[in-house]
């Protein structure tokens, strides 16, 4: 059974008269990559900041490792945060930036962090190898060993983010992507149980952003720590996450794996926010659904026969077939070459559909479409739709 490392219980956050987070309940597991996904103003960053201790909830509980952490400051939590703006020190070089957190910790913390008993054994072994008889470990020896350990930890973190050899470089001499890696190294060198990342790739160009997505996921796997990631970019969320939390107006709309979120959206908002969707009103007929004057086979759903439903079909799930054999026929109103496929807009009985196909169609051409039963997803019609 997966271990819950973070739990949010009935959490609310209000700024003046605006309710930003509205009664969130969420469990985050140990060693998972969880993404909070949604548009600006949906409450995702505020939720992250409450987990990190930068904001306190007005109501509810933030629980970490089974203990309530509502009032504890950020430094008292087993958490590090990578901010969108990186927050690096321009007067320090790369090594000094990464080492900053450890260098500014107290003696007791560092002795526990690096395991004082193990350090003392290493010191005695080194002294015996140097010919000392009945060697003793002094505080000066331990301080020197701690500095060595900090240097080793910094170099290991820089190696993990692929910045080996740049440790003496000034921050203002680094590219945006390199500065991002410095910020990551500075966070992971502290060996946090949990790493919070607030849209850290937003300032990077497209290609670098895509490369960093794969590197972040690989880094999380190697470190074995919990990543909680905030983004408005659905591609980032789909690429990296074990689970995605889709948010709107301070409320969780859906929580699930990327595949579940994409293939089985629970409402119109999720269906349109995560990927492109064609949503058509239909009627459930029991393993069949009727829409646009035709009946289609579909999977079994827990709806009543003749209940109104929303029919969701992704653009790539249509098959283009001969016009005469098609249950759906329409006219192409737009055709855009997307590199891998053509994106068509098709008018079917006054409804505009997005269709992705490898076939070439010109504007004004008729087109026939079919869709397999397992490519049709049905959703309950929401009261406000």
């Amino acid at each position: 059974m997966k271990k819950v490392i973070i739990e949010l219980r009935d959490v609310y956050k209000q700024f003046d008269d605006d309710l930003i987070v509205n009664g969130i309940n969420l469990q985050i597991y140990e060693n998972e990559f969880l993404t909070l996904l949604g548009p600006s103003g949906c409450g995702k960053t505020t939720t992250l900041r409450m987990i990190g201790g930068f904001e306190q909830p007005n109501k509810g509980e933030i629980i970490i490792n089974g203990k309530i952490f509502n009032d504890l400051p950020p430094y008292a939590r087993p958490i590090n945060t990578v901010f969108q703006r990186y927050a690096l020190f321009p007067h320090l070089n790369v090594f000094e930036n990464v080492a900053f957190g450890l260098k500014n910790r107290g003696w007791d913390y560092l002795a526990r962090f690096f395991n004082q008993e193990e350090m003392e054994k290493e010191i005695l072994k080194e002294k015996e190898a140097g010919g000392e008889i009945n060697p003793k470990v002094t505080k000066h020896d331990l301080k020197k060993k701690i500095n060595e350990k900090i240097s080793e930890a910094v170099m290991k973190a820089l190696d993990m983010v692929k910045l080996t050899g740049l440790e003496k470089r000034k921050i203002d001499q680094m590219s945006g992507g390199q500065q991002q890696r410095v910020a990551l190294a500075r966070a992971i060198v502290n060996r946090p149980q949990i790493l919070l990342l607030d849209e850290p790739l937003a300032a990077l160009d497209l290609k670098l952003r895509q490369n960093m997505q794969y590197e972040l996921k690989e880094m999380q796997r190697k470190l074995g720590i919990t990543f909680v990631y905030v983004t408005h970019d659905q591609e980032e969320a789909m690429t990296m996450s074990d689970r995605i939390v889709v948010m709107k107006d301070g409320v969780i709309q859906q929580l699930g794996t990327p595949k579940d979120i994409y293939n089985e959206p629970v409402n119109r908002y999720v269906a349109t926010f995560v990927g492109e969707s064609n949503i058509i009103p239909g009627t459930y007929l029991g393993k069949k659904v009727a829409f646009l004057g035709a009946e289609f086979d579909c999977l079994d759903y827990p709806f009543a026969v003749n209940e109104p439903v929303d029919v969701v079909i992704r653009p790539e799930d249509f098959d283009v077939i001969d016009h005469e054999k098609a249950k759906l026929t329409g006219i192409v109103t737009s055709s855009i070459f997307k590199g891998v496929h053509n994106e068509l807009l098709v008018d079917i009985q006054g409804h505009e559909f997005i269709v992705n196909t490898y076939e070439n169609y010109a504007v004004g051409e008729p087109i026939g479409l079919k869709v397999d039963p397992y490519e049709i997803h049905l959703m309950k019609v929401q009261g406000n739709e």
Side-chain angles (χ1 to χ4, degrees), residues 47-208:
T47 301
L48 191 86
R49 289 177 62 82
M50 286 192 288
I51 294 171
F54 302 102
E55 301 285 353
Q56 278 70 49
N58 296 108
K59 181 184 172 186
E61 296 174 338
I62 308 289
I63 300 167
I64 301 172
N65 291 325
K67 297 177 182 177
I68 297 173
F69 270 64
N70 285 32
D71 300 321
L72 284 179
Y75 66 82
R77 305 185 183 208
I79 291 173
N80 269 83
T81 305
V82 178
F83 298 100
Q84 186 174 343
R85 297 182 181 273
Y86 310 150
L88 299 173
F89 301 111
H91 62 289
L92 302 179
N93 64 24
V94 170
F95 183 97
E96 292 163 341
N97 263 280
V98 177
F100 185 85
L102 291 176
K103 290 274 190 182
N104 285 275
R105 287 286 191 173
W107 161 263
D108 290 340
Y109 176 89
L110 291 171
R112 289 194 307 273
F113 186 84
F114 290 116
N115 193 329
Q116 182 172 343
E117 188 177 334
E118 289 299 318
M119 287 192 294
E120 288 175 351
K121 287 179 181 177
E122 286 182 28
I123 293 166
L124 290 172
K125 194 173 180 181
E126 289 165 5
K127 286 189 172 187
E128 287 169 355
E132 283 193 40
I133 300 171
N134 298 324
K136 293 183 179 178
V137 177
T138 66
K139 197 155 189 176
H140 173 76
D141 292 328
L142 280 170
K143 285 183 178 179
K144 184 180 176 184
K145 179 58 72 175
I146 283 172
N147 284 329
E148 288 176 15
K149 292 289 185 183
I150 290 174
S151 294
E152 288 173 13
V154 169
M155 296 308 292
K156 186 176 179 181
L158 289 174
D159 179 62
M160 182 161 280
V161 299
K162 301 180 181 177
L163 286 179
T164 301
L166 299 181
E167 52 271 12
K168 294 183 180 178
R169 184 83 55 92
K170 291 290 184 184
I171 293 301
D172 59 8
Q173 297 172 338
M174 310 285 282
S175 69
Q178 289 172 326
Q179 288 185 26
Q180 167 66 319
R181 291 165 195 265
V182 176
L184 282 167
R186 187 177 62 181
I188 64 177
V189 77
N190 295 300
R191 297 185 213 154
Q193 270 190 298
I194 302 155
L195 187 61
L196 308 180
L197 302 106
D198 185 10
E199 303 208 50
L201 309 185
L204 306 182
D205 62 63
L206 177 62
K207 193 68 179 175
L208 184 55

Side-chain angles (χ1 to χ4, degrees), residues 333-378:
T333 59
S334 171
S335 178
I336 299 172
F337 178 61
K338 291 282 192 172
V340 176
H341 62 265
N342 295 301
E343 183 180 274
L344 309 180
L345 293 184
V346 179
D347 183 278
I348 303 175
Q349 301 177 33
H351 294 267
E352 186 178 77
F353 285 76
I354 305 169
V355 178
N356 293 342
T357 178
Y358 299 114
E359 309 292 332
N360 292 314
Y361 276 83
V363 172
E365 272 193 84
I367 188 172
L369 301 172
K370 82 175 183 74
V371 59
D372 293 321
Y374 57 86
E375 304 290 14
I376 295 174
H377 176 65
L378 305 184

